[in-house]
């Protein structure tokens, strides 16, 4: 039985009002986001190329046309709006495994009279080339620099519908603390390190080590005259910092101060508004004042003399930011002006050269424009189009980029010259890749997956959407290790994989692409995973802060790979300085050496920083039940693995005895840890967190999922029943679920739609369904899995799925949530393992336990495609 046609999994037309997070674009090499107009694209990244700002809007009859509907497909995004009596529909696609963007524009006249209209497409290509800085927060080009600036980009995206766009990258309107002296590196915008991250304007330092960020020194001197902080402040050392009250610097705001330098010719920072990349910042270079904000930089003429007070005033306007330094006023230029990117018209094409990198971009057209003129950092193409009654007119635009001018121009002209075929070929390549995922011996993947034959419609759709999510996030161009399955994006992570997210679907990955998973495991285990949460797969560099779940995530992924492939030859291979087997040993036992010396001495302490666990749940720290249950399962799995290791050498008997002793110790430690976990049961399906100052009850899906996955056979029947009841009545909700019970005391302080009470992370429904099966209720698991496809917002699942009322959910956008998240493949994983199939999660091939009640399931057996 074959999988459904890929066209059947494309989304339906979605009203713009129903979408929080607009659809994404991918092409197996890179990613991008569509915007609220009909053509512009932001967050364009195909490493080593990345784009800033956006690519330009479409105007019909002189007005920017808003998209009132969107339709996502794996190969592209269609947008539709109305203007001048016409229906305008666009279809934007990234060239499959090519550095290209293709736009098809169709204008349809539903009326009874011809319509003649002017159509203009702004052609912007703020694209740069960089081989470094590809972390979760990756570098993007700005007028004055190359660095990640998430919220400034989002403000630019939100402005695309304005007929007279403002310079909103400068408008950081939320209150931020003023900081005098040496600034913090942009990132971790919590003003206190104990605060949770609630995805508002907080964004941690998830850049890679090669991002080149340097913390500049403070300028020595005195500051006075700040309205928010009366008095005089002295900066005596280059590493000194004074944190002052928070102020807002939105459009129309003015910030004034007086500064007296201690010495002539200094270089460094005087003041920073917050510590964001887009922060307004004042400083000196060789004594000359400068202003930096939102990717723009202006530098003054005369140096400030030491020992004298100098007035400095910053004004934030709609069309720029200005610095008044003693009467000399310096003002930023519009970002789309001709300063970094320089356009050149060549016949009926446009070439844009980047002044900050070796990148060249080229635009070409299926229908040559009637007008093509340079404008600022790009150009504008214009057509006068007459559309007959009931008729349609079509335009095609191609953007390509390369490190050679002629290469970019040649590729653009070639694609434009056969535009219809090129545009259609993108979808055909996606269809072929999709079919390969279910074909034994295919030339695309190193394995394949079974199709779900004869299942109920909802369950089958969920299963295949999960497979599609894995295929969609596959990238064949970013990494030297081969194909990788990116964690999310497209506003983040153009090369990045998280250990935890990958572990949510390891059996699926091991069946679909075992060679890719094996290569990824060796690369991941070679990372310092004890102090990062992910890694840049391009340059194989660690990214971000540590996650307490890393050990379990990597152990679980290795174990699933071994269970699916039987490739025990992986275990003696070196990953970094240790063998894979030694990594497993270390991961199973690591937290036991870091106990805080409180409690019963058995439970493992995972630290006090909520950013290492669930980020936004401030009390989810210390000895949490979830990861203690996970480590009990790891110890048992380690024991089972040690007993199965081959010992075919001259010391086989001695080695076998040593492994038996080690396995027995792991089993004993697992039993002791399991008993301690069970002692934390609080009743009603909830568990207690052990803190040094006392226990605290919480109702979180992570406790449910990991206890059920690892310790189901150890639970008394009443605990199993109560856990099922809790999940079914407090977490599962309509088409999706909540990560945290809404009635939990900490819920008001955890308002985030991935790990809090406002919704749930893409992996949690699949993990919950697996837990329900382990606890003997596959009927409830099937019911949940059969519904969650309805929450995809016309595409695929995202990182955060937020409740909108009445049991309905949608992909959340607020803060830094990802439109795409490979964690959603956990739904496919839950179906693939099957409620009555082999329990390969722990590798012991035991059937899931069942308890009395309705535990029948209509999930049929998997069948291979023939």
């Amino acid at each position: 039985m074959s999988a459904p046609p890929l066209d059947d999994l494309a989304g339906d037309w979605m009203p713009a009002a129903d979408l929080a997070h607009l659809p994404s674009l991918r092409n197996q090499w890179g990613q991008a986001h569509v915007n609220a107009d009909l053509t512009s694209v932001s967050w364009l990244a195909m490493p080593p190329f990345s784009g800033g700002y956006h690519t330009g809007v479409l105007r019909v009859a002189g007005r920017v046309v808003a998209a009132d509907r969107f339709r996502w497909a794996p190969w592209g995004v269609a947008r539709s709006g109305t203007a001048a009596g016409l229906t305008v529909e666009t279809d934007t696609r990234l060239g499959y495994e090519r550095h290209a963007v293709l736009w098809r524009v169709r204008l349809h006249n539903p009326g009874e009279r011809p319509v003649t209209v002017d159509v203009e497409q702004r052609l912007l290509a703020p694209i740069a080339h960089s081989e470094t800085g590809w972390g979760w927060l990756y570098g993007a080009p700005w007028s004055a620099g190359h660095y990640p600036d998430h919220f400034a980009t989002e403000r630019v995206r939100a402005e695309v519908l304005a007929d007279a766009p403002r310079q909103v990258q400068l408008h950081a309107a939320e209150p931020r603390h003023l900081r005098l002296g040496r600034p913090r590196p942009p990132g971790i915008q919590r003003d206190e390190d104990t605060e949770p991250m609630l995805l508002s304007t907080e964004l941690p330092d998830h850049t890679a080590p090669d991002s080149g960020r340097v913390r500049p020194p403070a300028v020595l001197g005195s500051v006075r005259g700040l309205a928010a902080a009366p008095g005089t402040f002295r900066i005596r050392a280059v590493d000194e910092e004074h944190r002052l009250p928070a102020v807002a610097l939105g459009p129309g705001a003015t910030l004034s101060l007086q500064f007296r330098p201690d010495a002539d010719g200094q270089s460094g920072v005087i003041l920073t508004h917050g510590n964001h990349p887009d922060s307004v910042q004042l400083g000196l270079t060789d004594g000359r004042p400068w202003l930096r904000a939102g990717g723009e930089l202006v530098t003054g003429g005369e140096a400030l003399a030491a020992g004298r007070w100098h007035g400095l005033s910053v004004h934030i306007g709609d069309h720029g930011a200005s610095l008044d330094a003693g009467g000399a006023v310096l003002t930023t230029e519009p970002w789309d002006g001709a300063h970094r990117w320089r356009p050149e018209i060549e016949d009926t094409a446009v070439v844009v050269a980047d002044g900050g990198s070796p990148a060249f971009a080229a635009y070409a057209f299926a229908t040559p424009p009637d007008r093509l003129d340079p404008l600022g950092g790009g150009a504008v193409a214009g057509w006068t189009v007459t559309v007959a009654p009931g008729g349609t007119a079509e335009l095609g635009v191609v953007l390509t980029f390369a490190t050679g001018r002629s290469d970019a121009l040649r590729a653009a002209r070639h694609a434009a010259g056969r535009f219809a075929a090129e545009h259609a070929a993108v979808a055909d390549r996606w269809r072929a890749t999709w079919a390969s995922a279910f074909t034994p011996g295919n030339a695309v993947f190193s394995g394949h997956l079974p199709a779900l034959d004869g299942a109920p419609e909802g369950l089958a759709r969920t299963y295949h959407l999960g497979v599609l999510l894995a295929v969609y996030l596959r990238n064949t161009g970013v990494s030297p290790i081969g194909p990788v399955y990116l964690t999310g994006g497209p506003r983040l992570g153009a090369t990045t994989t998280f250990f935890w997210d990958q572990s949510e679907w390891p059996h699926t990955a091991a069946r679909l692409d075992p060679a890719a998973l094996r290569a990824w495991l060796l690369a991941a285990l070679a990372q310092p995973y004890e102090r990062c949460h992910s890694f840049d797969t391009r340059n194989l560099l660690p990214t971000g802060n540590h996650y307490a779940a890393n050990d379990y995530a990597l152990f679980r992924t290795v174990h699933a790979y071994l269970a699916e492939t039987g490739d025990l030859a992986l275990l003696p291979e070196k990953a970094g300085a240790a063998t894979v087997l030694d990594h497993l040993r270390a991961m199973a036992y690591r937290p036991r050496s870091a106990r805080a010396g409180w409690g019963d001495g058995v439970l493992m302490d995972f630290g006090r920083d909520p950013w290492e666990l669930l980020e936004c749940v401030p009390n989810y720290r210390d000895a949490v039940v979830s990861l203690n249950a996970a480590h009990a399962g790891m110890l048992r799995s380690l024991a089972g693995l040690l007993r199965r290791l081959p010992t075919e050498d001259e010391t086989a008997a001695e080695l076998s005895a040593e492994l038996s002793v080690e396995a027995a110790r792991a089993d004993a430690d697992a039993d002791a840890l399991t008993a301690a976990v069970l002692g934390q049961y609080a009743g009603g399906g909830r568990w207690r967190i052990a803190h040094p100052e006392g226990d605290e009850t919480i109702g979180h899906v992570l406790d449910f999922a990991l206890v059920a996955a690892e310790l189901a056979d150890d639970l008394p029947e009443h605990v199993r029943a109560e856990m099922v009841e809790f999940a079914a009545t407090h977490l599962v909700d309509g088409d999706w679920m909540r990560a945290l019970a809404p009635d939990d005391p900490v819920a008001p302080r955890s308002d985030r739609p991935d790990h809090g009470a406002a919704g749930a992370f893409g992996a949690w429904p699949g993990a919950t369904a697996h837990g329900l099966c382990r606890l003997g209720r596959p009927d409830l698991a099937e019911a949940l899995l059969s519904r969650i496809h309805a929450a995809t917002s016309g595409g695929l699942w995202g990182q955060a799925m937020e409740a909108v009322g009445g049991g309905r959910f949608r992909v959340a956008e607020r803060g830094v949530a990802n439109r795409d998240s490979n964690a959603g493949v956990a739904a496919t994983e839950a179906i693939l393992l099957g409620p009555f199939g082999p329990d390969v999660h722990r590798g012991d091939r035991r059937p899931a336990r069942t308890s009395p009640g309705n535990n029948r399931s209509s999930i049929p057996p998997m069948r291979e495609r023939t």
Side-chain angles (χ1 to χ4, degrees):
M1 178 71 178
S2 62
L6 185 56
D7 297 63
D8 291 354
L9 298 177
D12 297 324
W13 280 105
M14 298 287 294
D18 290 349
L19 294 174
H21 211 144
L22 298 182
S24 64
L25 295 163
R26 291 185 182 268
N27 70 344
Q28 305 278 287
W29 276 10
Q31 56 194 34
H33 241 313
V34 302
N35 297 329
D37 63 309
L38 290 185
T39 55
S40 76
V41 167
S42 294
W43 293 111
L44 177 61
M46 298 183 197
F49 297 97
S50 62
Y53 305 105
H54 66 72
T55 55
V57 299
L58 180 76
R59 293 175 183 266
V60 177
R63 302 296 300 273
V64 178
V65 185
D68 53 33
R69 297 188 303 156
F70 295 83
R71 186 180 188 187
W72 174 88
W75 49 80
V77 177
R79 291 174 267 185
S80 179
T82 58
L86 300 174
T87 298
V88 186
E89 184 178 312
T90 65
D91 190 331
T92 308
R93 303 180 181 185
L94 304 184
Y96 194 96
E97 293 185 328
R98 291 176 55 200
H99 296 126
V101 188
L102 298 91
W103 290 270
R104 186 185 67 197
V105 180
R106 284 178 173 167
L107 301 100
H108 174 68
N109 181 5
E112 298 179 353
R113 296 182 178 181
V115 174
T116 299
V117 66
D118 285 336
V119 178
E120 289 187 345
Q121 176 63 55
R122 185 72 191 273
L123 308 168
L124 297 169
I127 293 170
H129 176 281
S130 177
E131 290 290 356
T132 59
W134 290 100
W136 184 237
L137 280 170
Y138 60 85
W142 298 89
S143 297
H146 190 92
Y147 53 86
D149 200 336
H150 187 278
F151 295 107
T153 301
E154 286 299 284
R155 291 196 294 274
V156 171
R157 289 184 67 208
E159 192 76 0
V160 293
L161 295 179
D163 284 324
R166 304 167 297 162
Q167 296 300 299
V168 290
Q169 76 276 16
L170 307 169
H171 297 168
E174 73 280 354
R176 299 175 178 179
H177 285 275
L178 295 176
R179 301 181 187 275
L180 301 180
R182 190 180 193 189
R184 296 184 182 187
I188 310 186
Q189 283 88 46
R190 301 176 300 171
D191 286 302
E192 299 296 338
D193 288 340
T194 57
E195 293 178 359
M197 185 173 75
L198 294 179
L199 294 184
S200 51
T201 58
E202 299 85 353
L203 198 61
D205 181 13
H206 290 349
T207 57
D210 65 349
S211 59
R213 300 186 315 144
V214 177
R215 187 179 181 187
V219 175
L220 306 186
S222 300
V223 175
R224 71 182 185 188
L226 284 166
T232 300
F233 302 89
R234 184 75 186 277
I235 305 168
R236 296 179 174 85
V238 294
D239 59 354
E240 189 173 340
E241 176 196 13
H242 296 278
R243 195 185 78 159
L244 305 180
V247 300
L249 289 181
T254 298
L255 174 68
S256 298
L257 57 87
Q258 290 184 317
F259 180 67
R260 183 177 63 193
D262 283 354
D264 291 327
Q266 295 186 76
S267 296
V269 176
I270 300 170
L271 176 145
T272 309
H273 180 231
N275 60 308
H276 298 55
D278 64 354
S279 288
V280 167
Q281 195 170 70
L282 285 172
L284 303 179
T285 297
D286 297 328
R288 299 166 62 219
W290 52 258
L291 164 67
R292 183 185 296 277
E296 307 296 335
L297 173 68
V298 290
T299 302
E302 293 188 13
L304 303 186
R308 293 173 47 195
W309 288 102
H310 301 270
L312 300 174
S313 180
V314 176
H315 180 72
I316 308 298
D318 279 345
H319 303 293
S322 61
L323 170 63
D324 186 337
V329 179
L330 311 164
T331 303
T332 63
E333 296 292 330
W335 68 261
D336 56 350
H339 37 92
R340 173 170 174 172
W341 290 277
R342 300 284 181 171
E344 181 181 354
I345 307 297
E346 183 163 321
D347 296 330
T348 56
V350 181
V351 179
V352 180
D354 177 24
S357 82
F360 290 88
Y363 280 100
F365 312 94
T367 301
D370 301 318
R371 303 170 298 282
L372 185 59
D373 302 304
L375 180 62
V380 60
W383 297 263
T384 300
V385 179
T386 298
V387 188
T392 298
E394 185 170 307
L395 305 172
V397 180
V398 176
L399 166 65
T400 61
F401 38 96
T403 54
R405 184 184 188 279
S406 60
D407 292 338
L409 184 58
R410 186 184 310 110
R413 283 176 166 164
H414 174 78
R418 52 191 309 271
F419 180 82
E422 291 281 323
H423 195 261
V426 176
D428 290 340
R429 286 292 304 275
W430 275 101
R431 294 182 184 109
T433 299
W434 172 250
S436 294
F438 300 93
T439 304
N442 69 85
V444 177
F445 304 93
S446 58
H448 71 285
L449 289 168
L452 194 57
D453 184 7
E457 182 179 353
L459 193 70
R461 186 168 183 84
T462 292
Y463 173 81
H464 291 110
L465 282 174
V467 177
L468 177 56
L469 180 55
V471 174
Y472 190 59
L473 284 163
R474 176 175 173 263
N475 193 300
T476 62
V478 301
S479 179
I481 68 173
V484 293
Y485 293 79
L486 300 179
T487 291
R491 300 189 296 187
L492 299 162
T495 66
T496 306
T497 55
F498 279 60
F499 311 123
W500 197 349
D501 298 61
Q502 188 73 40
S503 75
E504 297 293 350
W505 51 288
H507 294 276
T508 307
R511 295 191 190 188
L512 174 63
D513 211 345
L517 182 58
R518 193 184 202 276
W520 182 87
L521 280 168
L522 291 171
L525 290 171
Q527 295 296 312
Y529 54 83
E530 72 283 356
R531 57 180 174 84
C532 65
H533 57 41
S534 61
F535 70 105
D536 160 28
T537 63
R538 185 171 186 82
N539 295 310
L540 303 181
L541 293 172
T543 299
N545 56 279
H546 175 246
Y547 275 178
N550 284 354
D551 288 328
Y552 177 61
L554 287 165
F555 189 107
R556 177 185 183 184
T557 307
V558 172
H559 200 264
Y561 171 80
L562 296 175
E564 292 290 347
T565 66
D567 178 19
L568 294 179
L570 176 68
L571 294 174
E573 285 201 39
K574 283 288 190 71
T579 67
V580 173
L581 178 57
D582 284 338
H583 279 288
L584 297 180
R585 287 172 164 135
M587 290 186 292
Y589 277 101
R590 189 189 320 279
R592 298 180 69 84
S593 62
R595 288 192 298 252
W598 49 269
D600 59 11
V602 177
L603 289 174
M604 299 179 179
D605 176 14
F606 293 93
R608 305 235 78 187
D609 188 350
W611 279 39
E612 293 206 19
L613 279 88
L614 291 174
E615 295 178 333
C616 68
V617 187
N619 65 336
Y620 204 81
R621 49 191 172 81
D622 302 324
V624 294
V625 157
S626 57
L627 294 182
N628 271 280
H631 275 266
M634 290 163 67
L635 289 166
R636 286 176 174 167
S637 293
L638 178 63
L641 183 61
L642 292 171
R643 293 188 177 101
R644 290 196 295 272
L645 286 178
T647 55
E648 299 174 0
D649 56 35
E650 63 276 7
T651 61
E654 180 181 347
L655 180 58
S656 180
E658 291 177 1
L659 293 175
S660 295
V661 170
E662 185 182 355
R665 180 170 69 94
D667 269 335
D669 289 340
D671 290 344
L673 186 54
T674 297
V677 169
L678 297 184
Q680 292 299 107
Y681 185 60
R686 304 181 196 234
W687 297 84
R688 288 190 294 268
I689 306 169
H691 301 296
E693 59 272 18
D695 287 3
E696 183 176 13
T697 299
I698 195 167
H700 200 279
V701 64
L702 195 58
D703 291 339
F704 171 85
L706 295 189
V707 169
E710 300 297 344
L711 304 182
D713 294 338
D714 300 279
L715 300 174
E717 287 297 334
H718 78 280
V719 175
R720 292 158 59 86
E722 289 172 5
M723 287 179 64
V724 168
E725 179 70 13
F726 168 74
T729 60
H730 288 78
L731 301 181
V732 174
D733 179 12
D735 296 335
W736 198 251
M737 64 180 298
R738 318 279 182 137
L740 177 68
D743 62 350
D744 196 277
V746 80
R749 293 191 293 142
S750 185
D751 180 29
R752 216 172 94 169
D754 53 356
H755 303 321
F761 181 47
W764 297 149
T768 299
H770 180 72
L772 289 169
C773 290
R774 292 281 294 150
L775 297 175
R777 292 302 303 270
D779 57 312
L780 296 179
E782 181 183 341
L784 173 62
L785 292 168
S786 295
R787 297 193 304 269
I788 63 174
H789 63 84
T792 56
S793 297
L796 299 169
W797 301 289
Q799 168 194 334
M801 309 292 293
E802 64 185 358
V804 294
R808 295 178 56 248
F809 287 74
R810 66 182 180 184
V811 179
E813 182 191 40
R814 55 187 168 121
V816 292
N818 292 282
R819 179 56 184 86
D820 307 324
S821 173
N822 75 5
V825 188
T828 295
E829 181 92 346
I831 298 171
L832 188 66
L833 296 183
F836 299 112
D839 181 18
V840 294
H841 178 65
R842 201 156 67 198
D844 54 10
R845 303 276 173 179
R846 291 181 295 178
R849 285 182 55 180
T850 59
S851 56
N854 176 17
N855 55 26
R856 297 177 59 84
S857 172
S858 60
I859 301 177
M862 298 290 186
R863 295 182 185 174
E864 300 295 322
R865 179 176 178 177
T866 58

